[in-house]
Amino acid sequence: MSTDEESPGGPVHAWGRLTLVLALATLIAAFGSSFQYGYNVAAVNSPAEYMKQFYNDTYYDRTGGYMESYSLTLLWSVTVSMFPFGGFVGSLLVGPLVNKLGRKGTLLFNNIFSIVPAILMGCSKVAKSFELIIVSRLLVGICAGLSSNVVPMYLGELAPKNLRGALGVVPQLFITVGILVAQIFGLRNLLASEEGWPILLGLTGVPAALQVLLLPFFPESPRYLLIQKKDEEGAKNALKRLRGWDAVDWEVEEIRQEDEAEKAAGFISVVKLFQMRSLRWQLLSIIALMAGQQLSGVNAIYYYADQIYVSAGVEENQVQYVTAGTGAVNVVMTFCAVFVVELLGRRLLLLLGFSVCFLACCVLTVALSLQDTISWMPYISIVCVIVYVVGHALGPSPIPALLITEIFLQSSRPSAFMVGGSVHWLSNFVVGLVFPFIQEGLGSYSFIIFAVICLLTTIYIFMIVPETKGKSFIEINQIFVKMNKVSDVHPEKEELKNLPPVSSEQ
């Protein structure tokens, strides 16, 4: 193990470097968990027709008659929306599990919810049972709901503060890679075929199996070890492995400071989170950002993309390649966000991202309503879709989960992730169920709704959300102490003696 030349143990080390252990832990956590989330979002899109046919054939084998088209559509809607519903259930399990099993332990346990459904979906055709698929969609949803909250929490607690933003965006990067891989495997000449779709659905178990084999060799979150488990030796060893040097005492001290600051609060439940004045703006910001992220129409854009491409004159059998191209743009832009988030900061990327999405939705509405009258309008629509994807990948997609890790301290973080995760998945569920009806009613004008949501979210961020780049958790907390107009983190006890007095005390 090497120690740097600077004074050992001094806060100079605050600027940690990306060690091999930290990089591999990040990759294995994100590939094993976040990747599957993206993969399962997109995996059922390509083979939808073959799967509906399978539903119908199975029904015919059982009853001797085919399903009515309404029943089939309903059954398919249930299959698709079981995933976000499972995500919501998974979000509710986050708090209890991360406090009981730890961050790493939860990720390992979570693989049950991936490997079991992967086997079930892979066998569903042989077993002649579409019920297996519906149950499996619920289970992989629970898996995604847990991992979409636990991976950012785990990585945010492993990372030194100068890398927290970059590593916090990695889960979102792997979600987009998962979407792209599912789109590529789902091309009609690969696995989107009558024989291939069970394999396409079953492949989700592969990253989970890899994670079960590899993640146990990596350290648990040092914050969890020190604060929840009171295992100082374990926390020090974890930090030494993650940082690649022995002088970790000052960082243990910083974690202990955070622990002291929170002793009075104990574990903060979701109910308590809503009651605490000192966490009011943090909580509102997370709800606003998570709802904004999902209700800004990102899923609808993906849903609509194929139709937009067809109307722009892309041939039916070429659409799948253009869609995969859009997926690739998403990956590239999220990859950029990993590097930019520490340069430009969180706030600027959020403002930029939501503003771009707002403009793209506005222009898209105009382009869609004029595309039958002006010949080149459909090409504008395609540009809007790509610009929208770029905007969303820069800020709205990756930043909200990273911010939950940053603006809440250890005692309230699990509950904050439960709230943020629930809002994320419920919004996702609502968009999935409601959008087809909105689209029927409003047609091309349905994107006005998303434009308004993007605009409102942009205004909220501009007015309220502070910059958190390069600040310690305690420093970020002090910004919110001033905003919430409370004299201290927890008025019951003077834990943070070094807090500057707030002038506007009530």
Side-chain angles (χ1 to χ4, degrees), residues 34-45:
S34 309
F35 174 86
Q36 294 182 60
Y37 166 16
Y39 186 84
N40 285 309
V41 165
V44 290
N45 292 352

Side-chain angles (χ1 to χ4, degrees), residues 21-214:
V21 175
L22 182 57
L24 287 175
T26 304
L27 290 178
I28 290 161
F31 177 67
S33 300
S34 309
F35 174 86
Q36 294 182 60
Y37 166 16
Y39 186 84
N40 285 309
V41 165
V44 290
N45 292 352
S46 320
E49 293 312 312
Y50 299 106
M51 290 173 70
K52 286 182 192 167
Q53 190 56 50
F54 165 69
Y55 282 22
N56 225 338
D57 294 346
T58 311
Y59 186 78
Y60 181 79
D61 290 345
R62 289 180 195 171
T63 62
Y66 286 113
M67 276 188 242
E68 290 169 25
S69 83
Y70 174 76
S71 310
L72 185 59
T73 308
L74 186 67
L75 203 54
W76 183 248
S77 289
V78 169
T79 308
V80 175
S81 53
M82 266 301 146
F83 181 71
F85 180 70
F88 172 62
V89 175
S91 297
L92 299 180
L93 298 173
V94 170
L97 284 177
V98 291
N99 289 326
K100 200 156 198 66
L101 304 174
R103 279 65 168 146
K104 181 177 99 172
T106 303
L107 288 177
L108 288 170
F109 169 74
N110 190 23
N111 287 315
I112 299 171
F113 295 117
S114 172
I115 293 171
V116 172
I119 295 167
L120 293 180
M121 289 192 288
C123 301
S124 58
K125 193 173 180 189
V126 183
K128 287 196 165 40
S129 164
F130 54 76
E131 290 84 358
L132 285 180
I133 298 178
I134 293 173
V135 171
S136 301
R137 289 287 292 172
L138 178 68
L139 293 174
V140 289
I142 293 173
C143 172
L146 274 165
S147 66
S148 64
N149 294 303
V150 181
V151 177
M153 191 189 303
Y154 177 57
L155 298 182
E157 291 180 12
L158 291 186
K161 64 183 174 191
N162 60 308
L163 293 175
R164 208 168 53 217
L167 296 187
V169 175
V170 169
Q172 181 61 35
L173 174 64
F174 272 86
I175 291 174
T176 60
V177 172
I179 292 174
L180 179 62
V181 169
Q183 285 170 339
I184 292 172
F185 283 170
L187 294 174
R188 291 193 187 100
N189 45 8
L190 287 173
L191 289 174
S193 61
E194 202 144 344
E195 291 72 48
W197 66 259
I199 304 168
L200 180 69
L201 298 184
L203 281 176
T204 181
V206 176
L210 278 172
Q211 192 183 63
V212 169
L213 295 175
L214 298 173

Side-chain angles (χ1 to χ4, degrees), residues 179-250:
I179 292 174
L180 179 62
V181 169
Q183 285 170 339
I184 292 172
F185 283 170
L187 294 174
R188 291 193 187 100
N189 45 8
L190 287 173
L191 289 174
S193 61
E194 202 144 344
E195 291 72 48
W197 66 259
I199 304 168
L200 180 69
L201 298 184
L203 281 176
T204 181
V206 176
L210 278 172
Q211 192 183 63
V212 169
L213 295 175
L214 298 173
L215 194 63
F217 297 108
F218 289 89
E220 174 57 274
S221 153
R223 282 192 143 69
Y224 170 78
L225 291 171
L226 187 67
I227 296 183
Q228 265 109 333
K229 283 278 180 250
K230 306 282 178 259
D231 174 6
E232 187 171 329
E233 210 35 56
K236 277 188 177 168
N237 290 336
L239 279 170
K240 283 174 186 172
R241 285 186 62 198
L242 289 165
R243 301 290 176 260
W245 52 54
D246 291 337
V248 293
D249 291 347
W250 67 270

Side-chain angles (χ1 to χ4, degrees), residues 357-407:
C357 291
F358 166 67
L359 291 172
C361 282
C362 292
V363 179
L364 184 58
T365 307
V366 177
L368 287 175
S369 52
L370 294 179
Q371 71 180 13
D372 297 333
T373 46
I374 302 174
S375 59
W376 46 267
M377 267 302 161
Y379 299 106
I380 304 286
S381 307
I382 294 188
V383 173
C384 286
V385 171
I386 292 169
V387 167
Y388 181 95
V389 168
V390 167
H392 215 276
L394 274 179
S397 287
I399 310 285
L402 159 66
L403 274 180
I404 303 184
T405 308
E406 297 194 322
I407 65 179

Side-chain angles (χ1 to χ4, degrees), residues 197-427:
W197 66 259
I199 304 168
L200 180 69
L201 298 184
L203 281 176
T204 181
V206 176
L210 278 172
Q211 192 183 63
V212 169
L213 295 175
L214 298 173
L215 194 63
F217 297 108
F218 289 89
E220 174 57 274
S221 153
R223 282 192 143 69
Y224 170 78
L225 291 171
L226 187 67
I227 296 183
Q228 265 109 333
K229 283 278 180 250
K230 306 282 178 259
D231 174 6
E232 187 171 329
E233 210 35 56
K236 277 188 177 168
N237 290 336
L239 279 170
K240 283 174 186 172
R241 285 186 62 198
L242 289 165
R243 301 290 176 260
W245 52 54
D246 291 337
V248 293
D249 291 347
W250 67 270
E251 200 169 351
V252 171
E253 200 41 55
E254 196 179 279
I255 298 175
R256 191 177 287 114
Q257 240 180 345
E258 185 184 330
D259 184 28
E260 290 301 317
E262 305 219 281
K263 280 265 166 56
F267 170 67
I268 295 174
S269 67
V270 172
V271 178
K272 197 167 172 192
L273 193 62
F274 277 95
Q275 292 167 342
M276 289 180 68
R277 183 146 171 222
S278 57
L279 294 173
R280 183 177 299 165
W281 281 112
Q282 290 95 309
L283 191 62
L284 285 174
S285 299
I286 285 314
I287 293 173
L289 286 173
M290 277 299 184
Q293 177 197 63
Q294 287 302 311
L295 300 176
S296 60
V298 65
N299 297 347
I301 287 265
Y302 271 117
Y303 180 88
Y304 215 121
D306 288 8
Q307 285 146 285
I308 292 174
Y309 297 145
V310 172
S311 66
V314 180
E315 287 175 30
E316 283 280 355
N317 56 352
Q318 301 296 318
V319 165
Q320 47 176 359
Y321 299 108
V322 184
T323 307
T326 318
V329 170
N330 200 355
V331 173
V332 172
M333 292 318 298
T334 312
F335 188 69
C336 295
V338 172
F339 297 99
V340 178
V341 68
E342 292 299 352
L343 286 171
L344 298 182
R346 288 58 157 155
R347 182 182 150 90
L348 185 63
L349 283 184
L350 281 170
L351 287 170
L352 191 69
F354 275 112
S355 313
V356 168
C357 291
F358 166 67
L359 291 172
C361 282
C362 292
V363 179
L364 184 58
T365 307
V366 177
L368 287 175
S369 52
L370 294 179
Q371 71 180 13
D372 297 333
T373 46
I374 302 174
S375 59
W376 46 267
M377 267 302 161
Y379 299 106
I380 304 286
S381 307
I382 294 188
V383 173
C384 286
V385 171
I386 292 169
V387 167
Y388 181 95
V389 168
V390 167
H392 215 276
L394 274 179
S397 287
I399 310 285
L402 159 66
L403 274 180
I404 303 184
T405 308
E406 297 194 322
I407 65 179
F408 289 93
L409 294 177
Q410 195 78 9
S411 60
S412 50
R413 198 174 292 131
S415 293
F417 265 107
M418 284 166 76
V419 173
S422 305
V423 172
H424 172 108
W425 288 102
L426 278 178
S427 309

